[in-house]
Amino acid sequence: MGGKDSKLSYITHEEALKRVSEAELKRLKDAFKRVSTISGFMTETVFMREVLWDGVPAKIAQLLFKAFGGGPKGLSFKELLAGMVVLTKGTKEEKIKMIYGMYADDSFSYIQKDDMDRKIVMTEDQVPPSLTQLFAQGDQVDYENFRQWVYQNPDATIMTKWLLTEPIAFSLSSDTETPTFYQTLAGVTHLEETDISELEKKYWILKAQSKTGKFDQETFKSFVCPTIPETLCEALFMAFDENRDNHIDFKEIACGVSACCRGPTTERQKFCFKIFDVNHDGKLDENELREMIDALVAIRMENKNPEELESDEFLRMDPKCVSKEILSCHDTDKDGCITLEEYLVWTVNNILCDDFLDLLSQICHVVLGLKPESPEEEGKIILDWISREDRKKKKVGQVWYLISMQWWNSWKNYVTFKTTEENGFLTVNDVQHRSSSSDTRHRLLTQCKNPTGCLPWDDDNVVMVNVNKTNSVCDTPLIGDSRNVSEQFNSHTFPRTSHSVTNSPRKYRLSPEVEQRTRSPSASPKLKKKIMVPAKPGQIDNNSLVIPNQYKVMTLTNEGGRLKRDQMMSDGTDFKLVPDPVWKALSTWYGGSPALPRTVIPSSRGDMNPELELYPIMVRLLRHQTLAQRPVQTTSISSVMTGLGGMAISTMNSFTNHHQAPKRYLAFTSCFSRCHTMQQVYDFLCTKLRFTREDLRLWKVSSKDENNMFLLDDDRLTVEQVKIEDSQQILIEVRNKDLTWPEEMSQLAKNKSMKKEQVPTEPGATGLNNLGNTCFMNAAVQCVSNTQPLTRYFKDGFYLYELNRTNPLGMKGHIAQRYGDLIKDIWSGTTKTTAPLKLRWTIGKYAPRFNGFQQHDSQELLSFLLDGLHEDLNRVHDKPYVELKDSDGRPDEIVAQEAWDNHLLRNQSVIVDLFHGQLKSQVKCKECGHTSVRFDPFNYLSLPLPMESCIHLEIIVMRLDGSVPVKYGLRLNMDDKYKSLKKELSTLCNIPSEQLLLVEIVGPVVKTLPHDSQKIRNQLGGHLYAYQLPPIDHIETLSADEESLEKKSSSSSSSSSSNNNSNSSNIGLSEIQRGISAKKPNANGHISKLQPSVNGISNGSATSTPSHSRNNSSTSLNTSVSGGTSLESGPKSVGDVFNGFVIAVHRKMTLMDLYFLSSQKTRPSLFGTPIILPCDDVSTNQNLYEFVWKQVARIVSPLPPSETKQSNHALDCDDSLCYEYPFTLKVVQKDGITCAWCPWYRFCRGCSIECNNEKFMFGSSFIAVDWEPTALHLRYQTTSERFFEEDSSVPDSRKKQTEPIDLDTCLQAFTKEEELGEDELYYCSKCKKHCLASKKLDIWRLPPILIVNLKRFQFLNGRWVKSHKIVNFPLKEFDASCYLALRKHSLCNCGEQINENLSDVSHHGDGPPILKMDDIVPSCLCDKNDPEIVSPSRRKENTDCDDNNVDKNADSDNNDDSNNSCKENGCHGNSTTTTTSSNCLSNNNATLPNGSPSLYDLFAMSCHTGILGGGHYVAFARNPNNNWYCYNDSSCKEVQEKQLDTNAAYILFYQRQDIDVSKFMPEVNDKSPDTQEIEDEFESDFKKMCTIQ
């Protein structure tokens, strides 16, 4: 060949141009332009996809790309054209040159042996023996030697065989014409392809607004009502919805619009009849007639002027009498009903239906998107719609659009221009607006048009009328207009048409009832008269109404612009008001901008007449510059330690990030109505800017001082009420990633207060600034702050009398002091927000884990805060040593009291009095049975939430009978296998599990066939189906000898198969589910004789001997590409060949407008749900067709059963179902695109399976169901394609998966006995070793303030997870006494035992069965009158008991319950005698003194939303004013009780009813407060942190 430049010398570009037609060249250029790069080259990937086809192997496609001349840059058009010409029209010599270019080196000078061997092996897997002859003389050959070798061995390689011996399966052009969807619909309706295209665009716009995703009745009604009376909306919907599936698909829309709008009068009246035939029986009874008359009269009244209605005779008719009159005159068979034919006779001489036909036409054009055929039709539709809406009273919320009067007049002249003929000459009439005309029902003079009869004349500036001898008229184009002018001569010769102007001129050509008229060959003399016809207006231009936008930023709202204010504009003078549907229609037909929508709002004058808001309020929306937008600011203090506890300034420090005031910039403009509430404004901005409501807030910026801002946080106020003015600046503040607010942090960093309007607020309703992911602290503090006894303790300054500065476990009183200061700020009622800076950094000093700006657990902070407050306020300054004693069999009451006494010896504070309770913990040794009991204090209950261990699956079952699929819901354990799934599913669907084949389907293809032994998993991106298979014949169990022989035979067969290199083993349903081993299909000849091919090369492989097995296994199929199975691995790709069934996929051909080769003119695409076709060795091709039809018959049913006798107005012309089946079955590979039998170079999409009685013999395991285009477009019901019925198990399973649990369930789980594992061995004091044991917790003593923590964060399987389980809990009257451990031995408050029946006393472990009196606490006086027994150090002097004699360990609830029990059973506090009553049961803190249960009310809760590590904490609390407030950091809003976010509850705060807060306040008469300030060193560190900025 010689030289790189000679690579394309096999054909020149000029020669290639000679061999293609102009049409082919243009198409190829357009196609190349569409797919080429900017530089004008086609890449290799595009070449493989667009020029070749999917079936060409990638390696061969790469060789072709190189042979065409493709390089690193790509392929030019000239090179592509030359290559395609050689492929399709080249000579043998030219094709040999191309083949040589595939194997040659880069310079195309020679072919290297090793290089050619590599390329052949890469494309064909083996080197042909004839290649030895080519390189017999050396390792390199030139073109001449290669040419001679090819002539001698034309079938040596795939490429030589394809290009030299095989007929080319494609060409540059194709005459195949697959009808498109538009062409199919246009052929059976009265619509043009352009009409259908416009309808489709509008259809998808309307359907997108549906809430359900379907064009259902609710969606349809929202568009047509109230234009269509509400009583007719359902009937009109059903007239469109032919298949009664509560969804109007596009085919039904197109057919319905054609029938009711473009069809002949008879067809349009038939459509009306369907609307009035409510029960769809094909007849109108008297009730239906009366309802019809009522509706028609109502429509007539709404569409007429009041002047016309005064003399309208129809309004004076009695519908009941009219319906009877119709029956008497037209009911020929006297059955009391009117048939369709009788209805049509009635409509001939009655015009009552004409108004309804006009209204339907308006709906079809204005709402559904049909474009009018003529300007006159357009004018009447639009003007009638506007006239009707103008007569109605405007309603608040309606949207009207403004159109420039200049454009409106131009359009009106265009659509109302009329021509009539006088004495043979055309004259022009300008028809005025219909609403001002006395005859609003203007009837077109044109009754029939024949545009096909027009002939062009030499003078285009004249109007000509050709009149033949029969007075027929043909139309001639007007000047500057595409309309056709026609005149009616001898109108009586024309068939009667509807008075509606929407009559289509095409209907006379389509309807057989109308005589076709031909133009006379002899025309009348030319009559010339120049007429100035109004030109069609251009795009709508409203720029004259608005002022130029002076802000070069985006406008978020669609108001279109601000109207001019220099002059007062009015409707009819400066602009025309049109309803929303009319504007959308006109803008679709003409285009243009800007759209000027305006909303109807309540009157500002206070009257009942709403007004149109022409001038909404425009606001300028400001945003903060982000860090990426601002230049990096350097600081001179980069290494100073400014934080408390050693927190250094860093980029993570929130304060240094915001040390400067964040800069603002104008981001958007927007317009809002003065009636919009701030809630609506927030919702709009959040949706538009994609922020959550919690992350955005608005500030009104003062026009005089930009630093003076007002927070717009009251959602109930309107724009007018918050005094937002036109051009007002509104700052959109968005939370930082650390949940801080930029403005707050900026002001705090400057040590200033926020410049907000200081207004009095409700005490306690004060928010806390987020200081950088501190919402966890804010939520906990707000909950504790609303604990009224504790808050009163701090507000009244009692804490200053009890500060413990010397407690080694405390914080030197700093936590209590900082918390006390914060409480005073929160409850001062003078500020809406405050910054907990001092408390935040005090906590950080003593608990470094809370340092930094990461999210933390609110419960951990709460626990630290309560412990810190307790230690700082502990009344015990010198804590004694207390030795813990084992229960040693003693009664629980004594052990519990002893533990509580010991606890109070070291811990006495207001925190203990309010929050501390007692838990009973018992551990039982599994070896000796010894039980050890301990009683420990608690300040909150941490309740576990059940973590989900079940997986929810939904499976769709496809039955053999082709019935509607049914979806079932299952809940299975995560460790279950698919075998368990089939067993559970079998119970629900009543199909034996061995007849179920599980299939995972993604889109239109089968992804995997899950194996029975595989663990179940969620179907990510796919859906799980279960296909029913035919029953399995019973097979006897193999004996041991037979099983041994079977294994040997199987092993031998496997070895033989391996030796024969069989790569398409038949592993399928037979051997896995039916016990029949695999066997190869006998692939010879056609259908059952064709050999399957791999990579285009036919392989004849020996057929393995079928063996018989009695192992009736139910394991599912899971094959790989090679045909093997894997029982332990996950699902693999579906294999090439298997027995027992075949997989069928639905396929359709899509016509391409631009293509390169004929093979790509139509491209197959898959759709629908695959079908599993069961078959065996005796199944015939006819059986396959029958089974496919059985499965798809429900999808292609043309009509519902109730209308089988009626003709479908849109489907009568379709004859696709005249064939036996509307589809053809073709054998394909697993991709569903390429043929399973033919080699790739045949470019076959699949060989057809003839519908005959020949045996199928598993010619392929994949079949494509190729649908006939007409049947697919008109018969195939897309909505029924994936429709299924839902079994009751689905909602039940979903409910169980997301079903809330009760607080009772959590408490039961908390007190449930659990087994300790091997890693939690218990040291038994009896066994003297670590043993297995069981553990049980019980609540022994409840505090006045009960805190419940729902453990949403748990460590499972090596990682932290969050439970989103919803917990239902009571808000009021929570009876916590139900969960206290029961006692058989009751002690009085002082600890005295009540039950004297010592012989029956239960004991623990190996302790003594009889209780000694020495073990009983000595008697003392009980405080019977004080329900709130407090610790001695805070007892007031007016108590009824002697302080020295009162048990210091007594708890308030303990005294309540014990006092009551003592009274009832004769126990007195000053007596040492115990009662003998065996019924005396005391639950300690369980009941109040009057014997009623101890009830709790919820007063606060902390909620966590979002994911683990990235969520947000919000608190809800009930104020003393009995109103609930939501504390969202700095925001504090009053909410209703129903607005509480109980689903996200994390920490619950309960307060016992009827507690006396004063009882918890200490006596401070003889004490002085500790007013010592925090030491200077500590305070200076804090000040340095705040002022370093």
Side-chain angles (χ1 to χ4, degrees), residues 407-424:
W407 187 91
W408 177 259
N409 290 331
S410 174
W411 172 85
K412 188 176 176 183
N413 292 335
Y414 170 69
V415 297
T416 57
F417 176 80
K418 289 296 298 180
T419 61
T420 58
E421 182 168 345
E422 298 178 2
N423 300 324

Side-chain angles (χ1 to χ4, degrees), residues 31-46 72-77:
F32 184 85
K33 183 178 179 181
R34 184 182 62 179
V35 299
S36 62
T37 61
I38 299 177
S39 57
F41 288 91
M42 176 184 289
T43 63
E44 183 178 314
T45 303
V46 174
K73 290 185 178 181
L75 193 66
S76 67
F77 177 73

Side-chain angles (χ1 to χ4, degrees), residues 1398-1415:
L1398 301 180
S1399 60
D1400 295 333
V1401 171
S1402 61
H1403 59 279
H1404 303 288
D1406 300 326
I1410 299 177
L1411 180 66
K1412 299 179 181 180
M1413 295 303 296
D1414 295 339
D1415 295 329

Side-chain angles (χ1 to χ4, degrees), residues 829-843:
T830 60
T831 179
K832 285 190 174 183
T833 61
T834 186
L837 284 171
K838 295 182 180 181
L839 178 63
R840 165 78 172 89
W841 264 270
T842 304
I843 292 175

Side-chain angles (χ1 to χ4, degrees), residues 240-260:
F240 277 98
D241 185 18
E242 289 281 351
N243 58 359
R244 305 289 187 268
D245 61 350
N246 194 35
H247 168 71
I248 304 178
D249 58 32
F250 177 64
K251 290 175 290 189
E252 292 171 330
I253 280 284
C255 297
V257 167
S258 171
C260 75

Side-chain angles (χ1 to χ4, degrees), residues 276-293:
F276 302 131
D277 184 15
V278 179
N279 55 10
H280 311 293
D281 60 352
K283 297 180 180 180
L284 300 181
D285 56 27
E286 185 175 350
N287 289 332
E288 291 173 329
L289 285 173
R290 185 169 60 254
E291 293 174 358
M292 177 189 74
I293 299 299

